[in-house]
């Protein structure tokens, strides 16, 4: 690098720093409304700081911390500025909300006052027609198809049978083991379930192994620094998505060929088979739809399952009550009889455990939105075009919302009062995750057999860490103890 180039960089940084300071101190002065009588009204925006030029406070905001805490950044900012404050995150002026009412207000006003607004590099990996980043009418159309597909699958007994058989196969593989890395086991379980339900593939199918290998590269890049340079995780993720798309297209073509020649399996009712009959989606949208389904069914479900095992492993009382509930359900069935939807609805305490793991563990910390217009809330205004980050974990761990918020307590959900405001692990409003019930079914069915066959101890020092994506520090190693029969 030449001296002249170095001087340009240094000068740019200095100018940027000065501009950052000026904006930080005088930003509210730029928001004035001219009234008809010639006077002006200053718009009051939330207090806060913009931090460094360009990057703002992004690095501090993303600093890793236990997922059952809000982290140092939010602690300090909420203490200094309140539960709603301004910042500069992801290259944009931002309002961060740790407030229960504002979060609910944001989620309920999708496409009216606020709109989904993920950073552009995310679009580069997920694709332009992904349900996760689509907005407006496109999102509504894709979501309607998703809800229809999920409703069809959820009501299908074969789906539940597949989930339970997969759980039994995983647990049977533990027979001679004293300990397992549960994070790996939960991912294996969720991938085997979702690849069967979406594409009709078994774990032994060569295409399953190919998709899984590419999918792992895809996941690593999705949460990496967005630099498209050959060899970087981001570049590998974009390439992996392309390969997965090609594999999915090949499976689609093979299905169509079999249909055309009359040698297709008329009993197939996986996502893909139903999707092929949907005329409202383009070819690219169908491929993207499959990828979204794999992403949601793999990562979220496996993480939720790991959270439940982590917290229950430290609560003998919760484990005992789970064991009693599932023993009572099993006692009404024949020895080899599989679970059904009616059994799932009887798993009342299991639902409370899942809810509490979602609250305390925080699978999703926040979502990205932007203000479509100046939005007045209480005594301040969120300016049009600003990014808005409703932080779910802050509400989940707020002691003014949840008594003894930093304790794992499934019994807090005995009352369902305002649960839609107090618990938003899957988002809310029109962008609430459409497959959340399927994830809960998978976790509940796995727990059904786990708690009846095993007790377990969590390795000391283990904890879930938010990066902000969540991973377990040591892979969640658990020591197994078989229950006496």
């Amino acid at each position: 690098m030449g001296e002249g180039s170095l001087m340009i960089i240094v000068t740019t940084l200095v100018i940027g720093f000065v501009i950052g300071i000026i904006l930080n101190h005088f930003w509210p002065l730029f928001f004035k409304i001219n009234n008809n009588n010639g006077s002006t009204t200053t718009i009051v925006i939330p207090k806060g700081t913009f931090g460094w030029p360009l990057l703002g406070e992004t690095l501090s905001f993303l600093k890793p911390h236990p997922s059952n805490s809000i982290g140092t950044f939010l602690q300090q900012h909420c203490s200094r500025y309140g539960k709603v404050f301004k910042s500069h995150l992801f290259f944009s002026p931002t309002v961060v909300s740790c407030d229960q009412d504002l979060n609910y207000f944001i989620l309920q006003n999708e496409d009216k006052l606020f709109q989904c607004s993920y950073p552009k590099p995310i679009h580069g990996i997920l694709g332009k027609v992904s349900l996760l980043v689509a907005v407006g009418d496109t999102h509504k159309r894709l979501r309607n198809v998703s809800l229809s597909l999920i409703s069809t699958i959820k009501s299908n007994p074969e789906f539940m049978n597949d989930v339970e058989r997969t759980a039994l196969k995983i647990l049977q593989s533990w027979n001679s083991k004293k300990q397992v890395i549960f994070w790996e086991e939960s991912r294996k379980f969720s991938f085997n379930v979702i690849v069967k339900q979406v594409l009709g593939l078994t774990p032994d199918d060569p295409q399953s192994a190919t998709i899984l290998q590419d999918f792992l590269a895809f996941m690593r890049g999705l949460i990496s620094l967005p630099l498209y340079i050959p060899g970087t995780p981001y570049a590998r993720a974009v390439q992996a998505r392309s390969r997965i798309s090609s594999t999915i297209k090949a499976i689609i073509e093979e299905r169509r060929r079999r249909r055309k020649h009359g040698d297709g399996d008329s009993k197939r009712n996986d996502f893909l088979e139903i999707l092929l009959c949907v005329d409202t989606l383009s070819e690219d949208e169908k491929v993207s739809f499959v990828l979204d389904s794999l992403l949601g069914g793999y990562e979220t479900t496996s993480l939720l399952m790991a959270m439940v095992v982590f917290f229950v492993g430290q609560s003998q009382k919760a484990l005992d009550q789970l064991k009693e509930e599932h023993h009572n359900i099993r006692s009404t069935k024949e020895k080899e009889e599989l679970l059904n939807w009616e059994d799932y609805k009887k798993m009342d305490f299991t639902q409370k455990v899942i809810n509490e793991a979602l609250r305390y563990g925080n699978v999703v910390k926040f979502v990205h939105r932007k203000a479509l217009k100046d939005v007045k809330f209480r005594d301040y205004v969120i300016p049009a075009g600003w990014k808005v980050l409703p932080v779910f974990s802050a509400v989940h761990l707020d002691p003014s919302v949840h008594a003894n918020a930093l304790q794992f307590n499934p019994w807090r959900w005995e009352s369902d009062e305002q649960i839609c405001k107090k618990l938003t692990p899957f988002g809310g409003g029109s962008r609430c995750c459409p497959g959340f019930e399927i994830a809960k079914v998978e976790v509940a069915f796995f727990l059904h057999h786990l708690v009846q066959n095993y007790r377990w101890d969590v390795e000391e020092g283990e904890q879930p860490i938010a990066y902000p994506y969540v991973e377990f520090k040591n892979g969640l190693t658990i020591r197994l103890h078989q229950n006496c029969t």
Side-chain angles (χ1 to χ4, degrees), residues 359-372:
R359 181 200 70 83
Y360 194 35
N362 295 294
V363 173
V364 177
K365 179 178 179 178
F366 64 94
V367 292
H368 293 260
R369 297 291 184 267
K370 71 175 179 181
L372 295 175

Side-chain angles (χ1 to χ4, degrees), residues 57-86:
E57 298 185 297
T58 305
L59 296 181
S60 297
F61 179 75
L62 296 178
K63 187 177 181 180
H65 60 86
S67 72
N68 54 338
S69 75
I70 64 173
T72 303
F73 178 87
L74 291 180
Q75 284 177 348
Q76 292 178 344
H77 281 64
C78 287
S79 175
R80 189 176 303 166
Y81 307 116
K83 292 182 181 180
V84 180
F85 57 88
K86 73 177 181 184

Side-chain angles (χ1 to χ4, degrees), residues 126 143 158 164 202 212 231 249 282 402 427 443:
L126 293 176
R143 181 175 171 79
E158 191 58 33
E164 190 169 6
T202 65
L212 178 57
K249 286 178 181 177
S282 68
H402 305 278
V443 174

Side-chain angles (χ1 to χ4, degrees), residues 158 162 191-202 270:
E158 191 58 33
D162 285 339
F191 182 79
N192 290 348
V193 169
I194 199 64
V195 81
K196 173 72 183 299
Q197 292 307 314
V198 174
L199 294 172
L201 301 176
T202 65
D270 53 43

Side-chain angles (χ1 to χ4, degrees), residues 106-157:
I106 293 167
L107 296 175
Q108 295 302 314
N109 281 281
E110 181 71 28
D111 285 331
K112 299 171 188 173
L113 303 176
F114 304 95
Q115 191 173 71
C116 178
S117 180
Y118 281 88
K120 288 185 178 180
I122 297 294
H123 294 233
I125 297 181
L126 293 176
K128 297 178 181 178
V129 292
S130 168
L131 178 63
L132 301 176
V133 298
V135 297
D137 291 339
T138 301
H139 176 262
K140 290 177 184 177
R141 179 167 53 84
L142 294 174
R143 181 175 171 79
N144 286 338
V145 173
S146 178
L147 290 172
S148 177
L149 284 171
I150 289 170
S151 177
T152 302
I153 294 296
K154 190 173 69 173
S155 61
N156 177 21

Side-chain angles (χ1 to χ4, degrees), residues 348-360:
D348 182 62
F349 184 67
T350 302
Q351 291 292 336
K352 292 179 174 60
V353 167
I354 291 174
N355 283 344
E356 183 66 351
L358 287 166
R359 181 200 70 83
Y360 194 35

